[in-house]
Amino acid sequence: MPTQQPPARRERKKAETRRAIADAALRLFTLRGFDAVTVNEVAEAADVSAKTVFNHFPVKEQLFFEHEPLLAGDPAEIMRPRTPGGRAPVALGRLLRAVPVGDLALFGRIYRGSETLRAYGRELFAARERALAEVLAEETSGLRPRILAASALGPLRLVWESILLEAAERVPPGEAVARGARALEEAYAVLGGAFEGFLHPQAPAPHHAPPIPGEQPRAHRGERPSIRRVADLAGVSATTVSHTLNGRRPVAEETRRRVLRAIEELGYRPNVLARGLRTSRSQTIGLIIPDITNPFYPALARGLQDVLGPAGYDQIISNTDGVRRTEQAAIEHMIARQVDGLAFAVFHTHAEDLLPAIEAGIPVVRLGGRLVQRGVDLVHSDDEGGAAEATRYLLGCGYRRIAFVCGPAAEGPAAEREAGYRAALTDAGVAPDQALVAHTHFSRAGGAKGVARLLELAEPPDAVLCANDVMAIGALDVAAQRGLRVPEDLAVMGFDDIDAAGMVSPGLTTMANPAREIGQATAVRLLERLRGTVDEPSTELVVPARLVRRRSA
């Protein structure tokens, strides 16, 4: 009988395997970019099986973040150790490493080139925020722990990402980290009293980063003047300086004059992050989507960024899997993160679910559906008209038993598309058959499952219209498995015209739903709301869909 390895040796072997896999992945990401590399290729490069890769890294993005160079620990774990009645022993600012681990510039370039990685990075911070909120809730209750956690980690995430992007632009790593460390220190100082009760008032400030090479020393130790330097010179607390700047709490006139004199003497200028905190603008827009793996939604997010980026805004993306309870939680999360505006690409959110965001004064744009609600703008494709045109096209090709494959409950855009499908059949004198409508999941597997069920009917369809292209690709999978010729035995048609629609065989006939244009229009409307240039309580913009003919129908 073979002897088992000692536990310590097994653990050491696992650690070595994990590191070998992560290193192999990073080499591939460096050469080709994150999105172009598959897990199978990583497994081959590391000389292990794909199963072994997934055993160590259940999510592909973890292969990349294994090399994360800046974060020094988990906020919740740092906050958890407390003496009875005590406060946090370590300032959160120390979560940012003074000296990065690994190649910061390389990490930044790969990160910058992948929206998938940027979205995953935000999700990592969201998970840390939830964990921190749970720790804080052990001492307080209600909404406050969530707000405090968002206030603590929001600046950290912004600074973390800004350092990566600066390093990717060939800014020397030491200089990028130095700037980020000072921005973080100043941001936490501006938040001031918000941290009372969970940041020790005497805790050491975040590390003082080395001065930027070539920068003129305008304060002691070569540092650019910070809000703490202003406070020291004026003989007040950093919180008092913050109140003087933002005007939210009264400050004695003599104290105010001392603070202003110190500001003038030091040449203090608030950084962008601190200014955003003082003005209650986070410079972020929330985007809530049902499925980030559907290529339609990254294209939509890219359209948003086309407009928001030049305007100085970033995105926080939340994936909900089309579950209403998850959508509701995502709305609460965005409010806690203090986003400036909110875009929804969701299927199950009801009017009452949006009220918290509306009451918080957050501009809201809903993507899809026809829900008319005060305080909510609509930007969407012509879902009903596009589905009707698709159905008319199939009828014109001679098909009569046309099936429709859509989502589980046919809400939102899916309901509009089903309505267009039924209306076109009725107008052509073809009675809609409920047996030809399959409700399934908005995915490739869901499309395959729905079409497989339809093909088992006593009178199977001769054509299938799917509510999106990913489902239609699943339909092509089933047709190939059953030896059916497309379109001779079964015509297949999709909706959206994602890039993959022209790459599959046969090429997918579909309705072009311009995701990027929809994202751009959404961003424009949100910026108009933020700038106060729209007076109507609710607006609607419909982007037409367009027929794209290929070989599948």
Side-chain angles (χ1 to χ4, degrees), residues 406-430:
C406 63
E411 293 189 42
E416 299 292 328
R417 293 174 189 180
E418 183 176 348
Y421 155 79
R422 291 181 178 277
L425 290 177
T426 301
D427 290 345
V430 178

Side-chain angles (χ1 to χ4, degrees), residues 148-202:
L148 291 176
S151 299
L153 296 190
L156 180 64
R157 187 192 72 79
L158 293 174
V159 166
W160 173 82
E161 187 169 56
S162 71
I163 293 172
L164 293 182
L165 298 181
E166 282 193 1
E169 295 293 339
R170 302 187 184 281
V171 174
E175 181 177 333
V177 174
R179 289 177 180 171
R182 286 197 292 272
L184 189 62
E185 177 180 352
E186 192 164 316
Y188 284 156
V190 170
L191 286 170
F195 287 95
E196 292 175 4
F198 76 100
L199 277 185
H200 196 297
Q202 302 302 321

Side-chain angles (χ1 to χ4, degrees), residues 110-170:
I110 300 171
Y111 177 83
R112 180 188 60 185
S114 172
E115 181 60 36
T116 302
L117 287 177
R118 296 184 72 173
Y120 187 77
R122 296 181 187 111
E123 288 302 315
L124 284 180
F125 272 90
R128 291 186 176 102
E129 181 183 308
R130 289 191 292 271
L132 179 57
E134 290 177 3
V135 172
L136 298 176
E138 294 172 3
E139 297 185 7
T140 58
S141 60
L143 183 63
R144 190 166 183 264
R146 293 209 306 266
I147 294 176
L148 291 176
S151 299
L153 296 190
L156 180 64
R157 187 192 72 79
L158 293 174
V159 166
W160 173 82
E161 187 169 56
S162 71
I163 293 172
L164 293 182
L165 298 181
E166 282 193 1
E169 295 293 339
R170 302 187 184 281

